[in-house]
C-alpha cells in the first residue's frame, strides 16, 4: 500500500484539456477537504480555483490546461490527469501530457508521480490513454495499469448479459444503478460504440467510423515497395489554406497505396490565415510523379485548382488527367464503397504511411440518399481526412485505368538494326 510523505514544496496539478474538466476534479477535492480534519491540521485555504496554505507557505493544488501560463518548467510533486481518452493531438492533449511528464521526471525532482483516470479509449484517436496502454502492451515497465472491463462483444440486446457486464465493470461500486444503466445502454439514443466504451469499459471504435483499424492494418504490405517506372494511378485533393493538400498513388497491378505528397499547416502556425499551400511545391510533386512512374490515370478534385489541373491535362494528356468532383454524391459514394470493400476483403494494399493511415482512420461516415460518404467527425475538426479522399480518388482512378485496358499496356517502340 503506497504511503504518502511530506515534501517541502508541494505542487499538485490537476490537468485536463479544458478548465471546466479540471473544475470537476477540483470541486471533488474541495468538497472532501472542506471542514475535514485535514483542513485544520494543514492550515488550508480552500478557494474556488486554488487550494493553498493560509499562512503563506509555498505549496498549492492548482488546475492546469494547454493554455495555462507556465506549463513548461514546473516541478510538480503530483499530477492528476483526468479523462485522458480525450487527450489527443487536435486539442493539445498530447502536448499537455508530454510537458507534464517531462516536468515530473526532471533531475532534482525525485519522487514526483502522476496518475491518469480514463474511460476506454477509441483506438482510432491515438489519445494519451491509448499511447500509455500500447506502451504497456509493448513491454514498458514504467507504469502501473489497473483496469476492470466487461467481457468483450456482449450482445447489447440481451438485457441480462448487459447487466452482468455492468456488474463486472462497476465492481464494488455499490451505488451504481445497474437496472437504470441497462436501460441507458439499450436506449436507441446510445450508439453501440459509446455503450461499449463508456459503460462496459471495452476499447472500441466509434460506431460511425468509416474504417476499422484492424481491417486497415491487415492490408499493410512492406515487402513489395512501389518502384520507379511502375504503372500507377494518382488521386489529388487540393486546398489553399485550412485543409491539407495531398497526392496519393495507387499501383495498378495490386492497388497498393503510397504517399506522393502532403502539404498541411505546420503546428507552430496557429492560424489558417497565416499559412497557405506552396503551389510551386505541389506542381513540382506532380511533375516528379509523372517523371518517376508511368501514370496511367489521375483524378483531381477541382476546387481552387482548376487552372493547374487544366495545365496538367495539356502537359500530360487529357486522356490521363481528369477532374473528379468529390461533391457529386452518386459518383463519390460508389468510389468510397469501392475502396472500403477492397479493404474489407483484402484486395487493397498500403505501405503503412502514418499520415495516410491517420487520415483514413479519422474518417467518419455521413449518410446521403445515394449511400455513405466520408467526412470529418465535426465540420471544424482538426482531424484531417484529405489523404483519405486522395486515396479514394487514386483507387477509383486505378479501377478506371484497368477498365480502359491500361494495365500492362506497352508503349510502341521502333527497333533498328
Amino acid at each position: 500500500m503506497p504511503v504518502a510523505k511530506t515534501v517541502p514544496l508541494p505542487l499538485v496539478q490537476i490537468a485536463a484539456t479544458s478548465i471546466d474538466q479540471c473544475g470537476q476534479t477540483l470541486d471533488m477535492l474541495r468538497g472532501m477537504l472542506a471542514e475535514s480534519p485535514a483542513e485544520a491540521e494543514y492550515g488550508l485555504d480552500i478557494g474556488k480555483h486554488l487550494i493553498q496554505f493560509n499562512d503563506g507557505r509555498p505549496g498549492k493544488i492548482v488546475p492546469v490546461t494547454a493554455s495555462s501560463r507556465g506549463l513548461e518548467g514546473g516541478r510538480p510533486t503530483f499530477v492528476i490527469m483526468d479523462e485522458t481518452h480525450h487527450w489527443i493531438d487536435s486539442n493539445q492533449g498530447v502536448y499537455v501530457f508530454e510537458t507534464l511528464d517531462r516536468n515530473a521526471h526532471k533531475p532534482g525532482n525525485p519522487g514526483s508521480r502522476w496518475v491518469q483516470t480514463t474511460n476506454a479509449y477509441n483506438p482510432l484517436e491515438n489519445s494519451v490513454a491509448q499511447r500509455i496502454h500500447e506502451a504497456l502492451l509493448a513491454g514498458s515497465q514504467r507504469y502501473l495499469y489497473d483496469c476492470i472491463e466487461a467481457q468483450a462483444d456482449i450482445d447489447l440486446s440481451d438485457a441480462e448479459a448487459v447487466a452482468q457486464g455492468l456488474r463486472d465493470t462497476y465492481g464494488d461500486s455499490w451505488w451504481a444503478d445497474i437496472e437504470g444503466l441497462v436501460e441507458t445502454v439499450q436506449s436507441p439514443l446510445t450508439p453501440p460504440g459509446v455503450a461499449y466504451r463508456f459503460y462496459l469499459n471495452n476499447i472500441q471504435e466509434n460506431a460511425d467510423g468509416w474504417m476499422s483499424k484492424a481491417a486497415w492494418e491487415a492490408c499493410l504490405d512492406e515487402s513489395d515497395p512501389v518502384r520507379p517506372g511502375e504503372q500507377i494511378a494518382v488521386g489529388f485533393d487540393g486546398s489553399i489554406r485550412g485543409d491539407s493538400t495531398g497526392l496519393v498513388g495507387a499501383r495498378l497491378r495490386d492497388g497498393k497505396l503510397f504517399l506522393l505528397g502532403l502539404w498541411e499547416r505546420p503546428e507552430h502556425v496557429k492560424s489558417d490565415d497565416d499559412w497557405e499551400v506552396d503551389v510551386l511545391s505541389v506542381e513540382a510533386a506532380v511533375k516528379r510523379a509523372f517523371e518517376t512512374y508511368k501514370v496511367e490515370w489521375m483524378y483531381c478534385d477541382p476546387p481552387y485548382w482548376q487552372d493547374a489541373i487544366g495545365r496538367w491535362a495539356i502537359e500530360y494528356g487529357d486522356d490521363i488527367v481528369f477532374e473528379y468532383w468529390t461533391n457529386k454524391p452518386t459518383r463519390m459514394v460508389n468510389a468510397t464503397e469501392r475502396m472500403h470493400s477492397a479493404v474489407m476483403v483484402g484486395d487493397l494494399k498500403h505501405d503503412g504511411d502514418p499520415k495516410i493511415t491517420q487520415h483514413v482512420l479519422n474518417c467518419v461516415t455521413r449518410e446521403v440518399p445515394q449511400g455513405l460518404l466520408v467526412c470529418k467527425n465535426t465540420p471544424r475538426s482538426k482531424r484531417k481526412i484529405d489523404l483519405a479522399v486522395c486515396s479514394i480518388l487514386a483507387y477509383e482512378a486505378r479501377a478506371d485505368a484497368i477498365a480502359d485496358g491500361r494495365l500492362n499496356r506497352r508503349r510502341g517502340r521502333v527497333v533498328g538494326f
Side-chain angles (χ1 to χ4, degrees):
M1 175 69 69
V3 178
K5 66 176 184 179
T6 302
V7 295
L9 296 172
L11 172 59
V12 177
Q13 294 177 324
I14 301 171
T17 57
S18 71
I19 197 66
D20 291 336
Q21 186 65 50
C22 291
Q24 295 179 27
T25 305
L26 185 60
D27 285 346
M28 294 181 65
L29 283 175
R30 292 172 63 235
M32 289 186 285
L33 289 173
E35 300 181 359
S36 71
E39 181 181 17
E41 180 177 348
Y42 295 103
L44 299 179
D45 176 11
I46 304 172
K48 186 175 182 180
H49 302 296
L50 177 68
I51 300 173
Q52 57 188 341
F53 296 114
N54 55 26
D55 61 2
R57 285 178 292 159
K60 58 186 175 181
I61 302 175
V62 61
V64 295
T65 68
S67 61
S68 298
R69 293 180 180 273
L71 191 62
E72 295 273 4
R75 293 182 179 272
T77 51
F78 186 62
V79 184
I80 302 170
M81 305 181 187
D82 195 27
E83 304 284 17
T84 53
H85 58 285
H86 289 314
W87 292 31
I88 58 179
D89 280 313
S90 61
N91 62 16
Q92 294 190 291
V94 175
Y95 157 74
V96 172
F97 167 72
E98 290 175 347
T99 304
L100 294 175
D101 188 53
R102 284 197 306 271
N103 291 346
H105 293 94
K106 283 181 177 178
N109 196 27
S112 180
R113 298 286 186 271
W114 53 252
V115 64
Q116 292 187 23
T117 57
T118 180
N119 289 108
Y121 57 81
N122 178 346
L124 302 184
E125 293 183 327
N126 200 24
S127 64
V128 168
Q130 177 178 350
R131 295 173 190 218
I132 296 297
H133 185 222
E134 291 181 348
L136 286 160
L137 294 177
S140 174
Q141 301 294 313
R142 285 189 62 191
Y143 313 110
L144 172 64
Y145 183 81
D146 183 30
C147 176
I148 301 176
E149 56 187 291
Q151 178 182 335
D153 299 321
I154 285 176
D155 182 358
L156 298 182
S157 65
D158 184 338
E160 182 50 44
V162 171
Q164 183 58 52
L166 290 167
R167 284 191 286 269
D168 292 342
T169 303
Y170 283 80
D172 57 1
S173 301
W174 52 265
W175 56 86
D177 178 10
I178 299 298
E179 184 176 336
L181 289 170
V182 170
E183 292 181 7
T184 301
V185 167
Q186 295 189 317
S187 168
L189 300 178
T190 305
V194 171
Y196 283 118
R197 286 180 60 205
F198 293 96
Y199 296 98
L200 297 171
N201 212 23
N202 294 142
I203 296 169
Q204 183 87 10
E205 298 170 10
N206 286 341
D208 56 353
W210 177 52
M211 194 72 69
S212 78
K213 186 177 182 182
W216 179 255
E217 289 181 344
C219 295
L220 173 64
D221 176 20
E222 298 176 306
S223 64
D224 184 16
V226 182
R227 293 179 171 82
E230 291 201 86
Q231 291 179 297
I232 69 167
V234 175
F236 171 77
D237 182 33
S239 181
I240 297 299
R241 57 174 59 89
D243 282 338
S244 302
T245 290
L247 197 66
V248 170
R251 186 163 56 189
L252 253 61
R253 64 179 169 86
D254 60 359
K256 186 169 189 175
L257 298 172
F258 64 104
L259 184 64
L260 290 166
L262 173 63
W263 299 262
E264 56 186 356
R265 175 168 59 84
E267 291 185 4
H268 69 271
V269 179
K270 300 303 181 184
S271 172
D272 289 337
D273 295 331
D274 297 330
W275 176 86
E276 64 180 41
V277 172
D278 184 343
V279 175
L280 294 179
S281 176
V282 177
E283 296 269 12
V286 171
K287 183 174 187 292
R288 188 164 54 249
F290 276 89
E291 291 176 345
T292 305
Y293 307 98
K294 190 172 186 298
V295 179
E296 298 288 358
W297 209 282
M298 180 179 184
Y299 274 145
C300 309
D301 193 18
Y304 310 110
W305 288 84
Q306 281 183 287
D307 288 346
I309 295 167
R311 289 196 305 275
W312 300 339
I314 293 171
E315 184 171 356
Y316 305 115
D318 59 8
D319 61 340
I320 293 177
V321 179
F322 303 92
E323 292 185 352
Y324 193 107
W325 291 86
T326 59
N327 60 1
K328 301 291 181 64
T330 299
R331 199 177 184 194
M332 194 61 186
V333 161
N334 292 336
T336 302
E337 176 57 29
R338 183 191 302 277
M339 178 171 158
H340 185 270
S341 297
V343 171
M344 292 300 106
V345 301
D347 284 347
L348 178 147
K349 298 180 180 180
H350 64 85
D351 64 359
D353 182 87
K355 285 293 187 179
I356 293 179
T357 295
Q358 193 59 59
H359 283 216
V360 167
L361 298 183
N362 283 346
C363 290
V364 299
T365 56
R366 175 171 64 91
E367 188 170 0
V368 295
Q370 295 85 354
L372 295 178
L373 295 172
V374 296
C375 60
K376 295 180 180 180
N377 58 334
T378 65
R380 299 179 65 85
S381 173
K382 296 179 181 178
R383 301 178 66 199
K384 303 297 186 182
I385 66 168
D386 306 271
L387 291 180
V389 175
C390 293
S391 299
I392 292 170
L393 295 182
Y395 202 75
E396 186 72 1
R398 169 187 178 261
D400 288 343
I402 292 173
D404 194 53
R406 302 191 186 188
L407 181 60
N408 297 321
R409 181 178 67 169
R410 295 174 179 267
R411 291 180 178 174
R413 296 186 297 172
V414 176
V415 180
F417 295 93

